[in-house]
Amino acid sequence: MRSRVGDGEVLHTTLVPAYLHSAIERGATLVISHIEALDEHVMLLCEAIEYQLHARAWVNCYITAGGASAFDIHSDDHDALILQLLGRKHWQVDTRVGARSRELAPDSLDRVLEPGMCLSVPRDTAHCVSGTGELTVHLTIGYEPYADLREEALAAHELLGTSAPEPDLEWLGTRLAMRPDRRAGTSLRSALTGEVGDSTRIRWASRFPPKIRTTDDGLVVITMGRRIRLDRRLATTIGLLSLGSTLTWHDLVAQSDLPAADLRDLVRFGARNDFLICEG
């Protein structure tokens, strides 16, 4: 890194590409932590993992051109999905899931990942990674299902001096729906002007799935710690949106059972009340 200093403070820091390239050529590994904060496609991938697995997730990128390993045999305290993007990388993963061994079992998985391949590495499972002498890039998606809630429950039981039972999954899902956690994104245009165009991308605003109940007098949606009451006729469309994927206005019209005018009103209402993110 090269920094510019003024008045005794660092005013600006920038990466020096020549030094970076030289280090990688000599066998160093470049690690870009939380790359989901830098790339929209990776961000959407991270969102989908969190939403589908009820997990706290993050994505790191690893770039290397050598054959040496950046780490010795080790295990991580979280589950991981490995996505190979460029070049090939050699992975060895212990078959004794959760063993946290410092040595790999003789029958361990031994595989060279090629672009497009995916590998799951369970938490607390020993593994070893090495390059193949060519430029290689992969993403590691770390995730911890119900991590925050489990930590809260454990802390509460430690405070009371009692043992913590395994929480019920239905209870955990409801608790997640009560959390205020929101996905990154803004709905400024739709919220202020009500404008929804053919290319508008629409997705549920919460990081985690909502809880939806149908009552005698309407629909109750619990999301981001709020209870939103809606007309029962919106049930099918709300169910579609609450799946968490990104839909264009065109896709939503095609899949919803609502007339286009009513659907537009719902999307505007969702943007203004911040349970839908509308972009583009």
Side-chain angles (χ1 to χ4, degrees):
M1 308 294 286
R2 176 180 293 141
S3 300
R4 183 165 64 88
V5 179
D7 294 331
E9 297 182 357
V10 176
L11 303 179
H12 180 69
T13 301
T14 184
L15 186 67
V16 182
Y19 296 163
L20 172 64
H21 299 162
S22 175
I24 292 177
E25 287 173 354
R26 296 195 308 270
T29 296
L30 172 64
V31 183
I32 307 174
S33 300
H34 291 282
I35 196 173
E36 74 275 7
L38 305 175
D39 183 274
E40 181 183 14
H41 295 89
V42 179
M43 179 196 73
L44 293 175
L45 172 63
C46 188
E47 281 186 358
I49 292 291
E50 288 190 327
Y51 204 84
Q52 296 300 323
L53 300 182
H54 299 81
R56 178 171 57 197
W58 61 96
V59 186
N60 296 338
C61 178
Y62 294 83
I63 303 173
T64 185
S69 174
F71 306 99
D72 294 327
I73 295 175
H74 68 284
S75 56
D76 299 310
D77 60 358
H78 55 79
D79 297 295
L81 291 174
I82 312 303
L83 302 181
Q84 188 66 28
L85 303 183
L86 176 70
R88 299 176 302 154
K89 205 148 198 179
H90 184 203
W91 282 79
Q92 295 172 285
V93 182
D94 204 321
T95 51
R96 300 166 296 180
V97 175
R100 270 192 171 273
S101 173
R102 292 189 175 274
E103 296 182 355
L104 297 175
D107 61 344
S108 294
L109 174 74
D110 193 317
R111 183 70 56 86
V112 173
L113 296 189
E114 298 185 357
M117 296 180 71
C118 177
L119 174 66
S120 175
V121 181
R123 65 183 301 165
D124 296 332
T125 301
H127 55 278
C128 182
V129 191
S130 57
T132 56
E134 59 185 299
L135 182 63
T136 174
V137 180
H138 80 265
L139 299 181
T140 293
I141 306 170
Y143 63 96
E144 297 177 280
Y146 302 105
D148 296 333
L149 295 179
R150 293 181 187 277
E151 290 171 3
E152 290 173 4
L154 181 61
H157 282 279
E158 286 180 350
L159 186 63
L160 296 173
T162 59
S163 59
E166 186 65 24
D168 177 76
L169 293 182
E170 180 66 23
W171 179 84
L172 286 170
T174 302
R175 289 284 295 171
L176 277 182
M178 293 299 295
R179 293 180 65 89
D181 304 64
R182 186 185 186 279
R183 291 172 163 181
T186 180
S187 306
L188 188 60
R189 178 183 295 178
S190 296
L192 293 180
T193 69
E195 180 180 343
V196 180
D198 289 341
S199 61
T200 300
R201 302 186 307 279
I202 304 160
R203 69 192 199 279
W204 201 261
S206 174
R207 283 177 63 192
F208 305 110
K211 286 292 181 179
I212 302 174
R213 293 202 319 266
T214 302
T215 64
D216 292 337
D217 58 348
L219 197 68
V220 177
V221 180
I222 302 174
T223 185
M224 293 187 294
R226 295 180 293 154
R227 282 181 168 84
I228 303 169
R229 296 188 178 276
L230 300 169
D231 193 294
R232 289 185 64 175
R233 292 173 297 177
L234 303 177
T236 299
T237 304
I238 289 296
L240 175 64
L241 289 165
S242 69
L243 293 177
S245 58
T246 300
L247 297 168
T248 64
W249 169 251
H250 178 78
D251 293 334
L252 193 55
V253 170
Q255 298 180 46
S256 172
D257 60 350
L258 291 177
D262 292 344
L263 184 59
R264 194 177 297 274
D265 288 341
L266 171 62
V267 172
R268 290 170 177 167
F269 178 79
R272 288 170 180 160
N273 288 273
D274 200 34
F275 64 86
L276 295 179
I277 295 175
C278 305
E279 296 176 310

